[in-house]
Amino acid sequence: MRSLCEKLRLGSCLLFLILTIIIAEGGANAAANDFASAPNSFSTSIGYSGVVGGYDVTSLYWNPAALALSHSHLITLTMKEINSLSYLGYKHFTPRYGAFAVAFSQLESPDAKTLWYAGGWGYHIRGGLYAGFNAGLADHPDKLWPTIGFGFLFKPQKSLWQPFSSSSFSGSPAVCNRLSIGLGVHNIQLGNIRTDHALRLGASYRLLPSGPTLFLSHHFRSAKDSDHWGLSWSPFRNLSISAGLQDFKIRLFSFGINCQWDNILFDLAYDGARQKIMFTSSVRIGTDEKTTAETNYSKAKEAIRRKDKRQALEYVKTALVYNENHAKSAALYRHLASTIFAEDNKIDSLLQSALRHQSRHQFIHAAALYLRVLKIDPNNEAARNAIAMIRPKVNMDSERWYLQGVRLYDEGDFKRAREVFESILLVKPEHFGANTYLKKISDYANQQAEQYYYTGLGYYSQRKLLLAEEAFQKALAIVPDYQDAISYLYRIKQQKAQNNDRINDLLIEAQNKEQNGVWKSALDKYQEILAIQSDHPLAMEKTAQLKQKMEEYIKLYFDRGVAAFDSGNIDQARSAFLTVVRISPNHTKAQQYLARLSLPSSASASLLEKAQENLNRGNWEMVVLLADSILQIDPGQEQ
């Protein structure tokens, strides 16, 4: 099916080119047209508001800045009579340099036919600003003169690649993708020939986000200024209708219809001022913009697979030129741009460091730094040239560096020793001694990584996830591809995610219990958290705090209970011991006191014993108090 579509597209292009040649032959002998008429049907149908109203090849005539808005290769022709070619042009777009166009047209003159041969260029400067230039040669039967023109266009468009700030004028929803402002200066003569040049100023505005577009322009001329109004609306995706008016005169009314089929665009318009029907057709050569963007995105991914990030960035930039809202290209551009920006900073630092070592005649170190630059950017000319220049001196310097690396290894400075040996191997990969010592350093590093790994396993078995994670990360810092450590880090990540919700619920419950003074329940909740993750920092801290607080309160109330018991204040003693048991149900001594208080005979016997002791010491006042307490407990002890 796709092959059939491609054949139909190619056939339509060939048919279009054959018709163009036939019409051009007829047009060469056709009568001259009016000089002031528009070179395309659409700009005619919107009242000659072409300074912001057309983005095909005829922009070369109206406003060359608009050439850069369309990112396709186009052939455009306009006819005003069945055998009269009025305009024929071709536009070629390049992502880096903008759009170039050439055109031939029959301009109008009241006395004779005037031919205009022109070329121009349009370029996207930045954001919504475009600029363009044209140069032409007017061929009149009795004179020949060159002309130039230029134009500017402001058309802010929000995209994934270059989004506007929400606070800026260009980023306002009432402006972005809806407003266009254009300025064109046309037919500026060169030499002594005087011609009627024109300055055109125009604007267009889409009244609704997907509604009709209003066009307005004013043409400044030495003879007479003119005003131009137009309205265009697309009721269907590939069909639009338009109408226009000049100088508010009904007889200068115009209207038209525009339709698109695949890669061909048709415009048909009636010009009320000249009472003529115009026909314009444009053919896109090559693929459409979205397809071109997708192709360049695929090339960018292929470049990334080749580890050529800079080439990938160029491809993705091209993709975004053709389709600014290509989401995958925008995301890849942001990633590549930030990565390459960091790499460029690294390259600058390496080059500066290499130059310093080179100036000190430390050639092997300089060469190693240059090679590191080339590893990041294989096409870096500065590093390539420097390597070629100092290569003869590197061999002389390598043995001295080797001895320095051995000394660092013997001193236990394995990090710096590795850097020295790796620097030697960058410039002399076959150096036996450097390879040998690097293997020793690597073996030692593997042993260290293994120790951290087994430490992490121990913490993991104890549910100390944070400490286990830290140990595994230390192992990876030494051996980045340590697969077992990577696997356990992934497990820890999953377990932390699974435990997180339950731990959060327990924390809320524990904090509520603590605020309400139910310390035992709060402690139980914190300990439940520790059962899930034994090294949870907050749970560990709160557990220690609550245990200390509970111990202080237990001691305080137990001492109060003992003092009350000794003084015979039974109710106060019972209350104090019950408080101790509520905080610590397994407090043995408090339970024993409560048991004694629950048996009257036992309690009275204890008090009687204490009364006897105070009697022996002559403490009569205490004896009386204890006696009253004994009688309250056991009235039968009156004797």
Side-chain angles (χ1 to χ4, degrees):
M1 183 68 183
R2 183 171 181 177
S3 175
L4 178 60
C5 292
E6 292 292 337
K7 290 179 180 179
L8 288 173
R9 181 181 297 141
L10 179 60
S12 63
C13 291
L14 291 175
L15 178 61
F16 178 83
L17 291 174
I18 293 171
L19 289 173
T20 299
I21 295 171
I22 295 173
I23 294 170
E25 287 294 326
N29 299 315
N33 300 305
D34 301 329
F35 185 84
S37 64
N40 63 325
S41 302
F42 181 68
S43 58
T44 298
S45 67
I46 57 173
Y48 289 63
S49 299
V51 68
V52 289
Y55 307 124
D56 56 14
V57 186
T58 58
S59 300
L60 184 64
Y61 172 84
W62 287 109
N63 184 355
L67 290 169
L69 276 170
S70 172
H71 301 150
S72 301
H73 311 317
L74 293 174
I75 294 177
T76 298
L77 67 82
T78 298
M79 294 183 298
K80 297 183 183 176
E81 297 175 2
I82 192 61
N83 64 341
S84 175
L85 178 67
S86 172
Y87 191 94
L88 176 64
Y90 172 72
K91 187 194 79 169
H92 188 86
F93 177 77
T94 63
R96 178 172 294 185
Y97 303 108
F100 300 87
V102 292
F104 156 79
S105 59
Q106 296 188 81
L107 301 178
E108 297 177 355
S109 178
D111 52 353
K113 177 172 63 177
T114 300
L115 304 180
W116 186 56
Y117 307 92
W121 166 72
Y123 187 73
H124 182 193
I125 298 176
R126 187 177 183 182
L129 185 60
Y130 299 79
F133 171 82
N134 68 31
L137 184 66
D139 185 6
H140 192 268
D142 58 356
K143 55 183 175 291
L144 187 72
W145 71 92
T147 65
I148 61 171
F150 59 88
F152 296 96
L153 185 69
F154 178 66
K155 186 178 178 67
Q157 293 176 295
K158 191 173 185 178
S159 68
L160 292 173
W161 186 21
Q162 295 175 324
F164 293 103
S165 167
S166 59
S167 61
S168 68
F169 169 78
S170 299
S172 168
V175 173
C176 189
N177 297 324
R178 297 175 70 173
L179 174 69
S180 298
I181 300 174
L183 171 67
V185 180
H186 178 65
N187 201 31
I188 301 175
Q189 69 276 11
L190 299 176
N192 296 324
I193 303 296
R194 290 186 58 82
T195 58
D196 186 15
H197 64 271
L199 184 149
R200 306 183 183 110
L201 180 64
S204 68
Y205 188 76
R206 184 175 296 158
L207 301 177
L208 297 172
S210 59
T213 301
L214 178 66
F215 299 88
L216 167 65
S217 66
H218 185 83
H219 296 180
F220 299 88
R221 296 185 179 182
S222 58
K224 181 184 178 182
D225 293 357
S226 57
D227 291 305
H228 306 265
W229 297 80
L231 188 69
S232 176
W233 178 51
S234 298
F236 305 104
R237 180 180 177 184
N238 294 322
L239 178 70
S240 65
I241 54 178
S242 51
L245 191 66
Q246 300 181 52
D247 291 329
F248 299 99
K249 296 178 180 179
I250 297 299
R251 64 181 180 83
L252 301 182
F253 175 78
S254 58
F255 61 89
I257 186 170
N258 168 285
C259 61
Q260 184 175 355
W261 176 71
D262 198 12
N263 59 331
I264 302 178
L265 183 70
F266 301 95
D267 282 301
L268 188 66
Y270 173 74
D271 185 358
R274 290 163 183 79
Q275 299 182 351
K276 292 182 179 180
I277 294 177
M278 296 179 61
F279 170 76
T280 298
S281 181
S282 295
V283 172
R284 184 187 70 246
I285 307 299
T287 58
D288 61 88
E289 296 178 2
K290 290 185 177 179
T291 303
T292 304
E294 190 65 34
T295 300
N296 279 276
Y297 173 71
S298 299
K299 291 180 179 179
K301 291 197 298 183
E302 181 61 33
I304 289 175
R305 281 192 286 270
R306 299 195 309 267
K307 297 184 178 181
D308 191 349
K309 293 191 289 291
R310 294 169 190 275
Q311 183 62 58
L313 183 63
E314 293 303 316
Y315 281 131
V316 82
K317 280 183 179 178
T318 302
L320 287 168
V321 167
Y322 282 100
N323 182 4
E324 292 188 335
N325 290 304
H326 193 274
K328 293 181 291 186
S329 294
L332 184 57
Y333 170 80
R334 287 191 291 269
H335 169 70
L336 289 173
S338 61
T339 302
I340 291 174
F341 177 77
E343 287 184 353
D344 287 342
N345 289 335
K346 180 67 174 175
I347 287 172
D348 290 341
S349 175
L350 289 172
L351 288 175
Q352 292 175 10
S353 182
L355 287 172
R356 286 196 299 271
H357 286 292
Q358 187 175 338
S359 65
R360 298 168 187 166
H361 301 286
Q362 298 172 344
F363 299 109
I364 194 167
H365 202 165
L369 293 172
Y370 286 131
L371 288 169
R372 286 174 64 186
V373 170
L374 292 175
K375 190 174 181 180
I376 299 172
D377 179 12
N379 298 316
N380 191 281
E381 288 296 327
R384 284 182 176 277
N385 295 336
I387 282 285
M389 184 178 67
I390 67 173
R391 189 175 295 279
K393 301 177 182 179
V394 168
N395 294 332
M396 299 170 56
D397 210 22
S398 60
E399 289 309 310
R400 182 174 62 85
W401 273 78
Y402 172 70
L403 294 175
Q404 182 182 352
V406 172
R407 178 178 59 80
L408 291 169
Y409 178 86
D410 292 339
E411 293 173 356
D413 193 346
F414 299 120
K415 182 179 179 181
R416 290 178 61 195
R418 181 196 289 272
E419 292 176 356
V420 170
F421 293 131
E422 286 178 344
S423 298
I424 294 171
L425 292 180
L426 280 173
V427 294
K428 295 188 70 177
E430 74 287 352
H431 196 286
F432 177 78
N435 277 304
T436 301
Y437 272 97
L438 272 180
K439 186 177 184 307
K440 291 181 180 180
I441 294 172
S442 179
D443 291 342
Y444 177 75
N446 288 334
Q447 291 176 5
Q448 279 192 314
E450 194 173 61
Q451 289 178 1
Y452 282 123
Y453 170 72
Y454 283 114
T455 301
L457 279 182
Y459 285 133
Y460 183 82
S461 65
Q462 300 169 25
R463 298 187 307 278
K464 296 181 178 180
L465 300 183
L466 295 179
L467 293 174
E469 185 177 32
E470 182 180 349
F472 290 134
Q473 285 174 343
K474 286 181 178 178
L476 287 176
I478 299 172
V479 181
D481 58 348
Y482 203 137
Q483 292 302 316
D484 289 340
I486 293 172
S487 175
Y488 270 99
L489 280 174
Y490 179 72
R491 289 188 194 179
I492 290 171
K493 182 179 179 181
Q494 286 185 316
Q495 288 186 16
K496 287 169 71 175
Q498 292 172 359
N499 297 338
N500 193 47
D501 291 341
R502 177 58 181 160
I503 288 175
N504 287 338
D505 291 341
L506 288 171
L507 279 175
I508 293 172
E509 292 180 34
Q511 289 167 353
N512 288 336
K513 298 286 187 184
E514 187 178 357
Q515 289 173 1
N516 294 328
V518 189
W519 297 330
K520 181 63 173 63
S521 296
L523 180 61
D524 290 342
K525 297 297 180 183
Y526 285 125
Q527 288 177 332
E528 191 174 343
I529 291 172
L530 292 177
I532 298 172
Q533 182 181 335
S534 61
D535 60 347
H536 191 282
L538 181 59
M540 292 173 65
E541 178 185 351
K542 288 293 186 180
T543 298
Q545 289 178 359
L546 284 175
K547 282 183 176 180
Q548 182 179 357
K549 185 182 289 188
M550 288 168 63
E551 287 175 1
E552 292 173 354
Y553 270 76
I554 288 169
K555 186 177 184 306
L556 174 65
Y557 279 94
F558 181 76
D559 290 346
R560 286 182 182 178
V562 171
F565 185 87
D566 290 343
S567 65
N569 193 338
I570 303 305
D571 292 337
Q572 185 176 349
R574 183 179 289 107
S575 176
F577 291 132
L578 285 173
T579 300
V580 171
V581 171
R582 276 198 301 270
I583 298 175
S584 178
N586 298 321
H587 197 286
T588 305
K589 291 184 178 180
Q591 289 176 345
Q592 291 173 351
Y593 270 103
L594 285 172
R596 292 170 65 182
L597 289 173
S598 64
L599 298 174
S601 58
S602 299
S604 61
S606 175
L607 291 175
L608 186 61
E609 182 181 346
K610 291 183 179 296
Q612 186 63 46
E613 291 176 0
N614 283 278
L615 179 63
N616 295 335
R617 290 197 297 268
N619 190 353
W620 299 103
E621 185 177 345
M622 182 57 69
V623 170
V624 173
L625 290 174
L626 289 171
D628 289 339
S629 297
I630 292 170
L631 290 173
Q632 289 178 9
I633 296 173
D634 188 2
Q637 294 285 344
E638 294 182 0
Q639 298 179 357

